[in-house]
Amino acid sequence: MPTCFVIMGFGLKTDPATGRQLDLDKTYYNIIKPAMGDACYDCVRADEILHSGMIDVPMYNMLFSADLVVADLSTSNLNAVFELGVRHALRPRATIVMAESNFTLPFDATHIVIQRYQHLGPDIGYSEVLRMQDVLKKLAVLLKTGDAVDSPVYTVLPYLQMPTLERHLPSIGTDVQINMPQPDTYAERIKFARQAIDCADWTGAESILEGIYQAQSSVGPDGSKRTPPPVVIQLLALSIYKAGDQAAIAARPQSALDGYAKAESLLQSLNVETTTDPETLGLWSAIHKRRAVLESVPLEQRKRDLDEAIRAAQRGFLIKGDYYTGTNLAYLYDLRASFTSGDDRVADRVFADRVRHEVIKITEDRINELAGKTSAGGTAFDDERYWLAASRAEALVALGDPRGDAALAAALANAPALWMADTTRRQVDKLRLLLSASHP
């Protein structure tokens, strides 16, 4: 994952301007670090770096090479101000400056945008933590793809070129290590794995979960073989097949097939043929769907995989009745219709349309339930409302409903994040192409 280096003081510090004592660790551990984790950055502060020799070497390395720097200038920490100046001189963009609300700049820097937050001294209020986490997360995500200059140096001197290294500085990992807390319980390890999954770090998640799986599969004191809980098997299967997806994108179909086969083998231990667990059925359907669209797989095998994907999705939709499973099931019917002809094709198209009418009802009922509701942090319901609106729009477009294009445009215009809108556009484009194939 990309790296975020944090510039700030540590622990309790006294603000020379007001005499207030602020616990800056509360800012780091409650606001900055969680926000950067949610934005899929590895977040590190100078006190988390173990090193031999001068701290200056890894610090300057990070100021130059970090994908993002967050600088908290609260209490007018001179080291933080100096390090911010170094970063601004080295990099034209990807620097966020923040400070508590009573902070006053000790110099003329009105051209620097500062994100303000309210610090209570010994702690920070819960609602303020959530608000500021959301601010930083959104900024960090935007900086991954944007190109706006935020350094005053490169703003004033627009033709200045960013420096380059003729040889690499000592890298983090030779004489320098990040002193990160290591999870010592299965629950903490699973939490770390989920964070990796949220950031699409499938290889990292697989490594963590494989360790848990092996440890929990060992022979017990009585000689019996233990079975890991379903959540470990499910998350490991998800990580493996998603890593397979990445291999397929990288034109390594055999690596993808190996991953799908391994994930399939894991899920068989959860009694796939008889299970009523929607999560297991969803994973089983997804693996067979992936294999069904790989052109390197023989056609007859692809058809068998597609049939299996549909059977699992049918059961999952019957049990859970959710719009996500319904949307996927309708797509699978359309996909199978593109492989067939005559009555079989007509039947699958009819099944797809029926499921989409159910999806429209499910999404509209839920949208009405959420009307006027807000959630802590203001994001959970916003995200859910978007996916509901996007799924409804996709169903309307597929049905040829005249409301479809307007509903899609409205959903895209209100997407909480660019990646959400991009995901919807790709899915609808793929669906339209598929429908044209199944409607010769």
Side-chain angles (χ1 to χ4, degrees):
M1 291 194 295
T3 301
C4 171
F5 184 53
V6 179
I7 299 169
M8 65 185 305
F10 317 143
L12 280 173
K13 290 290 184 290
T14 301
D15 184 347
T18 65
R20 297 167 66 226
Q21 271 202 329
L22 306 181
D23 189 342
L24 297 181
D25 285 351
K26 295 294 174 62
T27 304
Y28 180 61
Y29 289 110
N30 295 352
I31 294 178
I32 301 174
K33 200 172 184 73
M36 293 304 106
D38 288 345
C40 297
Y41 284 86
D42 282 328
C43 186
V44 61
R45 196 171 63 170
D47 61 325
E48 293 174 332
I49 299 176
L50 297 178
H51 61 95
S52 59
M54 294 190 303
I55 182 61
D56 294 10
V57 175
M59 184 193 73
Y60 282 114
N61 188 355
M62 294 294 278
L63 288 173
F64 177 77
S65 63
D67 301 281
L68 173 65
V69 164
V70 174
D72 187 345
L73 303 183
S74 300
T75 71
S76 301
N77 185 284
L78 294 181
N79 284 335
V81 173
F82 172 76
E83 290 163 20
L84 174 61
V86 172
R87 171 68 175 190
H88 277 159
L90 293 174
R91 296 287 290 264
R93 58 178 306 278
T95 304
I96 298 172
V97 183
M98 60 186 289
E100 62 95 14
S101 55
N102 291 330
F103 169 77
T104 55
L105 284 168
F107 48 86
D108 181 14
T110 54
H111 46 283
I112 298 176
V113 176
I114 299 178
Q115 306 298 326
R116 300 277 184 169
Y117 68 98
Q118 186 175 16
H119 203 304
L120 302 179
D123 212 333
I124 305 170
Y126 179 66
S127 60
E128 180 67 354
V129 165
L130 293 178
R131 184 194 70 80
M132 198 61 187
Q133 281 183 1
D134 188 50
V135 169
L136 293 183
K137 176 183 175 181
K138 288 178 178 176
L139 284 171
V141 171
L142 286 173
L143 286 170
K144 283 184 178 180
T145 56
D147 57 4
V149 173
D150 51 45
S151 163
V153 177
Y154 289 85
T155 300
V156 175
L157 303 173
Y159 299 107
L160 182 65
Q161 297 297 308
M162 177 180 149
T164 58
L165 294 176
E166 293 186 4
R167 62 177 183 172
H168 292 294
L169 288 169
S171 62
I172 301 297
T174 51
D175 62 335
V176 177
Q177 294 181 339
I178 304 301
N179 182 25
M180 303 297 284
Q182 297 301 312
D184 56 6
T185 67
Y186 288 131
E188 289 176 328
R189 293 181 194 178
I190 290 173
K191 180 182 177 182
F192 272 57
R194 288 187 186 277
Q195 290 174 343
I197 287 171
D198 288 343
C199 296
D201 180 10
W202 305 113
T203 303
E206 181 183 349
S207 176
I208 296 169
L209 292 161
E210 183 68 36
I212 299 173
Y213 180 83
Q214 293 300 332
Q216 295 185 337
S217 299
S218 60
V219 177
D222 60 354
S224 61
K225 185 175 175 61
R226 296 183 297 178
T227 302
V231 65
V232 172
I233 297 172
Q234 290 167 346
L235 290 174
L236 179 56
L238 171 66
S239 302
I240 290 170
Y241 100 70
K242 284 291 191 179
D245 285 351
Q246 292 180 334
I249 292 171
R252 291 185 284 113
Q254 189 55 53
S255 295
L257 289 171
D258 291 344
Y260 299 152
K262 183 178 179 182
E264 182 181 15
S265 177
L266 279 169
L267 291 175
Q268 285 174 339
S269 66
L270 298 180
N271 303 314
V272 176
E273 294 300 323
T274 58
T275 185
T276 56
D277 183 350
E279 185 68 23
T280 299
L281 291 169
L283 290 167
W284 187 258
S285 178
I287 291 166
H288 288 276
K289 173 185 175 182
R290 261 61 173 190
R291 199 155 50 202
V293 298
L294 275 181
E295 295 184 357
S296 61
V297 176
L299 181 59
E300 291 306 312
Q301 178 61 50
R302 293 170 66 191
K303 290 180 179 179
R304 288 193 294 271
D305 277 311
L306 188 51
D307 288 342
E308 187 65 24
I310 288 174
R311 278 193 291 270
Q314 286 171 332
R315 288 164 58 200
F317 187 53
L318 181 64
I319 293 165
K320 196 173 183 181
D322 65 305
Y323 68 89
Y324 177 83
T325 306
T327 299
N328 184 55
L329 176 57
Y331 182 85
L332 288 170
Y333 280 134
D334 286 325
L335 183 58
R336 189 166 66 179
S338 70
F339 280 79
T340 58
S341 60
D343 291 344
D344 288 338
R345 172 175 287 183
V346 172
D348 278 335
R349 288 294 302 119
V350 170
F351 289 145
D353 287 353
R354 286 178 177 174
V355 172
R356 287 194 172 100
H357 282 295
E358 292 186 60
V359 168
I360 290 170
K361 184 178 186 308
I362 292 168
T363 53
E364 289 179 344
D365 287 348
R366 180 58 178 162
I367 288 170
N368 291 333
E369 286 179 22
L370 291 177
K373 290 185 178 180
T374 57
S375 62
T379 59
F381 285 155
D382 288 343
D383 290 355
E384 184 180 0
R385 284 188 182 96
Y386 173 74
W387 292 120
L388 287 164
S391 298
R392 175 180 176 272
E394 180 182 331
L396 291 171
V397 168
L399 290 169
D401 190 300
R403 298 172 294 170
D405 289 339
L408 179 61
L412 294 174
N414 290 285
L418 291 175
W419 71 265
M420 294 181 176
D422 289 341
T423 298
T424 299
R425 288 190 187 93
R426 287 195 300 270
Q427 174 60 22
V428 172
D429 289 344
K430 186 168 65 172
L431 176 62
R432 284 177 165 144
L433 184 63
L434 184 60
L435 291 176
S436 66
S438 60
H439 285 82

